[in-house]
Amino acid sequence: MSHVFDPTSLREYDIRGVVGKTLGTADANAIGRGFATLVRRAGGTRVAVGRDGRVSSPELEAALVAGLTQSGVDVVRVGLGPTPMLYYAEATLEVDGGIMITGSHNPADYNGFKMVLQHKPFFGEDIQKLGQMAAEADWDEGEGAVSDYDIVDNYVGRLMAGYAGGAYRIGWDAGNGSAGPVIEKLTKLLPGEHHLLFTDVDGRFPNHHPDPTEEKNLAALKQLVADKNLDFGLAFDGDGDRIGAVDGTGRVIWGDQLLAILAEPVLKELPGATIIADVKASQALFDRIEELGGKPLMWKTGHSLIKTKMRETDAPLAGEMSGHIFFAHDYYGFDDAPYAAVRLIRAVHMIGKSMTEIRGAMPNMINTPEMRFQVDESRKFAVVDEILERLEAAGADVNRTDGARVNTPDGWWLLRASNTQDVLVARAEAKTEEGLARLMAQIDEQLALSGLQRGAQAAH
């Protein structure tokens, strides 16, 4: 029996949809069949499977496992946990691939699948191939066995191996996501004083949406830090692969600022190393990496793209504005927020100042949040191309790594097409409010020339 996926569910970096509408158990089964077939054709026999805390995850897991075994691979279930725990299982157990069932930081009615094949990200054309195989029922037949492996204590032990020195008073907000139990175990082992919020896994996310890149979702953490007079606070997204933070005064430490802190001890140990950040990161970060003696590299947004670039450039550390932090230095190169938390505590200790002092010393740039506007799927890449052509014809200073990032004396602005949604993403950063207004006027002018206008803000 062949299977046809909802075309919106096969994304650039993962498979994702609204359960019962664009994603269901038949899709999970077909993903299992296709992935198992690819594993076998590459000479593999075993796949690790993990799941997040969403209400729909157990039934999707059962259907996925059935599909994997029907196509002849053995499955090792590592159970409920954050996505990086599944990545850790794939990196350390004798398996040939891994699949995580997770809706990431999306609303409660979403779910999806993130995949790794032979220690490499599985994305782009790989995901489209699963769709083609399903349509043709191009699947192997077989009978695989299923076993369970309780990996959480090994994983927490490995997180602790990244810890060195310093006892702080820290607030932790797991947002009812799947990292909660790991954070509970980890904070019992860490020195210092730890105050935990929302570590019980609840796929309805009753307290706040688990996306630490939106400041409103950090309100409870800020309150905790203020009430208990803590040194800083850490927050995690729904599946524990993105980190957020606030300092002792409740100021948000954004993804690129976290990377600037984390880079300091890494570059002490590996002078001249390449540190990668995505095109949405502040110019202040790239300047800081240079100041610390590293080689800053601006790269495309998207965890699979960054992991691939890290391999190419042998970069020990990379990060995205969205809070994905990747350590290849003393670690496996995947995005792991609990591990990033441990390394952040260590970095603060090694820098020898409080988190509040470190955050306070950062240059004060004025920037916009990520702005998104709906644009027809057929137009989104075309609009960016039109804008690039106009800018280059006008002699503008443009970086085209991922969309258009334009440098001006005021600062920079970015316009890129999202790989996962029918939206254009814009961001701007300047040294002054007046400068920011000029940059925004340039964005508006370019959009207008392509028949669009800013204002219609798309949902995340």
Side-chain angles (χ1 to χ4, degrees):
M1 277 286 288
S2 62
H3 177 80
V4 178
F5 291 97
D6 185 293
T8 62
S9 67
L10 301 177
R11 308 290 189 92
E12 179 67 18
Y13 315 120
D14 53 21
I15 296 174
R16 203 184 302 170
V18 178
V19 178
K21 290 188 180 153
T22 58
L23 193 73
T25 51
D27 300 295
N29 187 266
I31 291 163
R33 302 276 332 235
F35 193 80
T37 301
L38 291 174
V39 166
R40 282 183 60 171
R41 289 176 188 172
T45 57
R46 296 177 87 205
V47 173
V49 171
R51 67 171 194 276
D52 75 6
R54 287 166 189 264
V55 179
S56 58
S57 292
E59 61 179 15
L60 292 177
E61 179 187 46
L64 174 73
V65 168
L68 288 163
T69 53
Q70 280 165 335
S71 285
V73 302
D74 294 339
V75 175
V76 183
R77 289 188 301 208
V78 297
L80 173 68
T83 294
M85 187 173 92
L86 181 273
Y87 292 159
Y88 170 76
E90 198 274 337
T92 59
L93 301 179
E94 288 180 18
V95 295
D96 307 291
I99 303 182
M100 179 70 188
I101 297 155
T102 176
S104 191
H105 58 281
N106 284 65
D109 53 348
Y110 278 76
N111 216 327
F113 303 84
K114 290 181 181 174
M115 292 159 279
V116 199
L117 182 59
Q118 294 178 323
H119 313 312
K120 292 190 180 72
F122 185 93
F123 69 106
E125 287 174 16
D126 304 326
I127 289 173
Q128 296 307 318
K129 179 143 180 71
L130 288 181
Q132 289 158 6
M133 290 169 75
E136 294 159 18
D138 172 18
W139 296 324
D140 286 4
E141 298 292 330
E143 271 183 51
V146 182
S147 58
D148 291 296
Y149 190 86
D150 189 356
I151 201 168
V152 67
D153 289 334
N154 296 16
Y155 171 59
V156 172
R158 182 63 188 83
L159 296 177
M160 278 304 292
Y163 187 73
Y168 296 93
R169 304 178 63 245
I170 306 172
W172 303 71
D173 181 350
N176 301 110
S178 59
V182 164
I183 299 304
E184 287 176 358
K185 284 176 179 277
L186 177 63
T187 49
K188 284 197 176 87
L189 300 175
L190 285 169
E193 187 186 312
H194 302 281
H195 297 267
L196 276 49
L197 290 174
F198 318 134
T199 53
D200 54 312
V201 179
D202 186 336
R204 296 163 307 181
F205 307 121
N207 293 290
H208 61 76
H209 186 58
D211 179 355
T213 60
E214 285 203 40
E215 190 156 359
K216 63 177 191 221
N217 298 324
L218 298 171
L221 182 63
K222 289 182 184 185
Q223 193 62 52
L224 176 71
V225 169
D227 290 349
K228 306 269 186 203
N229 194 21
L230 304 179
D231 296 321
F232 52 94
L234 302 168
F236 303 88
D237 75 336
D239 69 327
D241 60 6
R242 302 191 317 162
I243 188 171
V246 298
D247 74 359
T249 66
R251 281 179 299 194
V252 178
I253 307 164
W254 299 105
D256 49 2
Q257 295 172 322
L258 290 170
L259 197 58
I261 299 169
L262 291 163
E264 197 162 328
V266 171
L267 287 168
K268 268 204 186 94
E269 215 171 304
L270 302 170
T274 299
I275 309 275
I276 302 174
D278 73 335
V279 291
K280 293 186 276 194
S282 170
Q283 187 55 43
L285 168 66
F286 298 106
D287 295 346
R288 179 67 178 148
I289 292 167
E290 252 174 14
E291 208 176 284
L292 293 167
K295 286 193 204 78
L297 176 65
M298 191 186 292
W299 196 239
K300 296 171 182 174
T301 294
H303 68 93
S304 305
L305 302 171
I306 295 226
K307 285 172 191 161
T308 305
K309 196 68 179 171
M310 282 178 85
R311 278 210 171 82
E312 270 172 40
T313 56
D314 206 16
L317 174 65
E320 289 188 286
M321 210 47 219
S322 56
H324 287 277
I325 307 275
F326 312 79
F327 272 96
H329 177 246
D330 293 339
Y331 207 57
Y332 308 95
F334 52 74
D335 36 340
D336 185 327
Y339 185 72
V342 169
R343 293 288 294 254
L344 187 64
I345 300 166
R346 173 177 160 188
V348 171
H349 177 66
M350 287 175 78
I351 291 166
K353 297 180 180 146
S354 73
M355 183 71 95
T356 305
E357 287 171 315
I358 295 169
R359 172 71 178 81
M362 289 181 176
N364 219 352
M365 309 298 265
I366 299 163
N367 45 38
T368 65
E370 204 171 281
M371 299 170 287
R372 295 162 167 253
F373 5 91
Q374 211 89 37
V375 52
D376 194 74
E377 191 70 36
S378 61
R379 278 284 286 149
K380 75 178 183 186
F381 290 110
V383 167
V384 175
D385 289 339
E386 288 162 20
I387 290 173
L388 281 166
E389 264 173 46
R390 284 195 296 266
L391 290 166
E392 284 175 350
D397 174 5
V398 187
N399 177 318
R400 45 187 329 160
T401 300
D402 183 5
R405 179 163 162 151
V406 184
N407 295 307
T408 83
D410 287 314
W412 59 270
W413 60 267
L414 169 76
L415 199 63
R416 60 179 284 274
S418 165
N419 285 313
T420 52
Q421 292 167 303
D422 51 349
V423 294
L424 288 176
V425 179
R427 191 165 187 252
E429 175 181 80
K431 295 177 183 77
T432 64
E433 290 287 359
E434 299 75 33
L436 191 66
R438 286 191 287 270
L439 296 175
M440 293 305 294
Q442 289 182 32
I443 295 177
D444 289 341
E445 177 192 14
Q446 288 298 333
L447 287 171
L449 288 168
S450 285
L452 295 171
Q453 63 175 34
R454 186 165 59 88
Q457 289 268 326
H460 274 280

